[in-house]
Structure formats: structure tokens, C-alpha cells
Amino acid sequence: MLARILALAIKEFLVLFKDKRSRLVVVVPPLIQLLVFGYAASFDLNDATYAIYDRDGGFAARDLAARFEGAPSFRAVGRITRQGQIAEWIDARKVLLVIQIGPRFTADLLAGTPAPVQILIDGRNSNTAQILQNDVSRIIADFNRDWILARGLQGLPVTLITRAWYNPNLESRWFFVSGLVGILTLVVTMMVTALSVAREREQGTFDQLLVTPLRPIEILIGKATPGLVIGVLEASLVVTIAVFWFRVPLVGGLDVLYAGILLFVLAAVGVGLMISSLAATLQQALLGAFLFLVPAVILSGFATPIANMPEAVQILTLGDPLRYYLVILRSVFLEGAGFELLIGQMWPLAVIAVLTLAAAGWLFRHRMA
């Protein structure tokens, strides 16, 4: 029995490594995913954009501001000069954090009374917001310690008041569940479309399609339609569960949400059809879909901020449709953003959809020839 098992195992290894494409599948995808994960998957916050609204201007306020300027993980993008700028800069994602120093900050510290400092955090990404809050707390703690040691005081000179916009309690469920709408939509759409043509080839029914009166473009549209319909229905189902079961607030309009869903599903269908056109078997189609799905999720900013990734990896994320879709989902769910704020995310999705569908059509005709 052992001899037969060994002989079968040797035969499977020979079959696997005899095929050049199989050898590439065994070696190349793990190396690519290792590089992607190693550089992109990080919970460190290395580039926290912030602005200071200094209403005091005293030496203590300048000292506190200098500590943020000297922190390697913080990057100042400007100074806020009026209250209305706070909402403008956070809404536009210009900053993740605004530090507001009160008008009597230095005077209160010199008088020995607690001086409040308010931080306003963009809570749309709860992971980033929590890390940011911890980093700010450490800087404030260092300031308090140095102030106490220099003056021999008791108690905490500076008290921290934190407000998280769009997710007041930093509920991680709001962040992850809204992101899952994108991931589950991508998985289902990709699987439906990536297997369609490959399944026909493997079952031997693809040649029957070629002798029908249908033109190649008609066959391609027919293959894309189920993925498009199923993708939209899957997104609708997950959105419904997110709102009514997990109680994630849907602040924005359904018109904006479904415009983003439709563009994303079209892009996912295009990628799936490209994979299906290239694959000769179901196994190759599955491996191709997996090779795309895992890096797409990692590079999308679902769990780790794109700003923390190296610049070369950030460039790669520009071709990831899930990156734009997650921003649309979370902005509509938590912020109530409209078309005017999300047009910068929708047009790249439209470009990706056009390019991938066009490439899938060309590959489809080329493989039929």
C-alpha cells in the first residue's frame, strides 16, 4: 500500500512540475504575495497628517506644537486659523487629526489649573483613529511629565479631550462591516465571472458556443451579465445585513451608493473575464482569481492605511478597484458623502472598468481565433 501511495505521489509531482505554467503557479504567486504582505500589511501609523488650531499663541502652546512637529509619525499640512476650517479639512481628508489649543492654555498652566487640549480625529477608519489617539496621548503625557518636573507640580497640567467624527465611539464594527460589503462583492463577482469561460472550455461546450449565430461580443456580454446581476444583488444583500443586523448607520443616499456599486461590479466583472479568457481549466481560473483577490484586499486599505505603505506599493494600489470602492462605501455609510465628494473615487473605477472589459473582449476574440 505504501509503495502504491508513494508511486502515486511521485506521479503527481511529475505531472505538477512537468507543466511550465504549474511550476510558475507554485513558485511565483507565493513570492508576489510575500512581497505584498511584507510591505503593505502594517498596523504602524507612519504618516499621520495633522493641523493645529492654536488659539493661544503662548510659549507653552508653541512648545506643545513643536513636540508634534518633531514626532516622526506626524506630518503637519498647515495651520488652521478659523473654526470652520476644521470640518473642511477633515471632510476633504486633508488631515486625520486636528489639535485645538484653547485661548487660555499658557495662562492656565502658569496658574496651576488644568489646561484642556481638544483633538478631533477622522473616525471613518477606526483602526487608524485608535492608533492616532494613543500616539497623541503619549505626546501629551511626555509634555505633562516635563512640565511637572520643571516646576515641581502635582497632577496633570494638560487634560486631553477627544472627539472622533463620523464614528464617535470608534466602533470597529462600523469600519469592518462597511468594508466587508466591498470584499464580499468582489469575491462573489470574481468567482462567477472567472469560472464562466474556463468551465465551458473544460466541459467541452465552448466549441458549441462558437458554432451558434452569436458573435464574440454577444457571448462576452452574455458571460458578463450574470456576474453583474449577482454582484449587485450580493452587494444589496450585504448592505441590508450591515444596516439592519449590525446597525451600521447608512447616512448617505442610495443613489450615490448604487452608482459606486455598479461601477465597482463592472470593474470586477472585467477582471474576472480577463482571468477566465486566459485560463484553460477551472483550476487555472481559481488560481488566477486567488492571485488577484488576496493582493487586492491587502492593497485596498481595508485593514491597513495606504498612506503607511511604501511609495512603490502605493502606486500599485492605483490599479486596485477595491481601493476606490471602500472609500465610497465608508464615505456613504458613515459620512453621508455625495457625488461632489466622491467623483474623485468614481472616475478611476469607471476607467478600470472600461480598460478591463476592453482587455477581456480582446483576449476573448484572440483566444477564439
Side-chain angles (χ1 to χ4, degrees):
M1 182 178 66
L2 290 176
R4 292 195 300 270
I5 293 174
L6 180 60
L8 180 60
I10 293 173
K11 189 269 293 183
E12 291 297 327
F13 277 114
L14 291 175
V15 171
L16 177 64
F17 289 105
K18 185 178 180 180
D19 183 17
K20 180 180 178 181
R21 287 178 295 185
S22 297
R23 292 198 300 270
L24 291 175
V25 165
V26 171
V27 177
V28 176
L31 292 178
I32 294 175
Q33 291 169 16
L34 176 62
L35 291 174
V36 171
F37 293 171
Y39 284 106
S42 171
F43 286 100
D44 297 330
L45 193 62
N46 302 320
D47 186 34
T49 54
Y50 78 98
I52 292 181
Y53 182 26
D54 184 1
R55 302 171 61 194
D56 177 62
F59 73 92
R62 292 195 298 271
D63 182 15
L64 181 61
R67 291 173 183 264
F68 284 94
E69 293 169 3
S73 58
F74 286 84
R75 177 169 61 89
V77 297
R79 290 259 174 176
I80 288 180
T81 56
R82 54 184 176 82
Q83 193 76 27
Q85 281 182 293
I86 297 176
E88 293 173 6
W89 286 24
I90 293 180
D91 284 347
R93 298 180 184 268
K94 188 175 181 179
V95 293
L96 292 172
L97 166 73
V98 173
I99 304 160
Q100 184 171 202
I101 302 175
R104 290 188 50 82
F105 181 77
T106 301
D108 288 341
L109 287 178
L110 294 175
T113 58
V117 170
Q118 185 182 52
I119 62 170
L120 301 107
I121 300 176
D122 185 346
R124 282 170 285 199
N125 186 328
S126 59
N127 283 349
T128 300
Q130 289 171 350
I131 296 171
L132 198 56
Q133 183 176 335
N134 292 335
D135 290 346
V136 172
S137 298
R138 282 196 294 269
I139 293 175
I140 296 296
D142 290 342
F143 179 88
N144 282 337
R145 185 187 63 248
D146 294 342
W147 187 274
I148 290 171
L149 290 176
R151 290 162 179 80
L153 302 176
Q154 299 293 327
L156 295 177
V158 178
T159 58
L160 193 62
I161 302 172
T162 305
R163 289 182 59 197
W165 285 14
Y166 312 119
N167 191 351
N169 298 320
L170 295 181
E171 294 271 358
S172 59
R173 181 181 296 170
W174 291 11
F175 173 72
F176 279 108
V177 171
S178 58
L180 283 174
V181 177
I183 293 178
L184 295 177
T185 304
L186 179 63
V187 169
V188 172
T189 305
M190 284 282 296
M191 287 303 171
V192 170
T193 54
L195 302 181
S196 60
V197 179
R199 185 187 298 108
E200 295 275 4
R201 285 200 180 98
E202 190 168 272
Q203 293 176 349
T205 57
F206 189 69
D207 292 336
Q208 296 177 10
L209 280 176
L210 301 183
V211 298
T212 63
L214 293 171
R215 292 177 297 173
I217 187 64
E218 295 172 338
I219 297 175
L220 185 68
I221 294 174
K223 291 289 185 182
T225 301
L228 178 64
V229 174
I230 292 173
V232 173
L233 291 177
E234 177 72 18
S236 302
L237 175 62
V238 180
V239 166
T240 303
I241 294 173
V243 173
F244 293 102
W245 182 264
F246 291 105
R247 302 295 180 184
V248 180
L250 179 56
V251 182
L254 291 177
D255 55 341
V256 183
L257 179 63
Y258 274 91
I261 288 174
L262 185 60
L263 289 173
F264 174 71
V265 172
L266 283 172
V269 166
V271 175
L273 287 175
M274 285 176 58
I275 295 172
S276 190
S277 299
L278 291 170
T281 64
L282 280 175
Q283 184 182 19
Q284 291 179 3
L286 284 171
L287 289 172
F290 177 76
L291 180 60
F292 175 81
L293 282 171
V294 178
V297 173
I298 296 296
L299 295 175
S300 66
F302 172 72
T304 57
I306 293 176
N308 289 355
M309 303 176 188
E311 290 187 7
V313 178
Q314 292 187 37
I315 294 174
L316 288 178
T317 67
L318 297 177
D320 184 0
L322 191 58
R323 163 190 174 151
Y324 308 103
Y325 187 46
L326 290 183
V327 174
I328 293 172
L329 286 172
R330 287 166 177 158
S331 297
V332 174
F333 264 91
L334 304 180
E335 184 185 349
F339 285 107
E340 67 282 357
L341 291 178
L342 294 176
I343 190 66
Q345 308 297 327
M346 289 187 177
W347 74 259
L349 268 182
V351 170
I352 293 173
V354 170
L355 292 178
T356 54
L357 288 170
W362 182 86
L363 288 170
F364 193 70
R365 290 192 299 271
H366 179 73
R367 293 295 294 255
M368 289 178 63

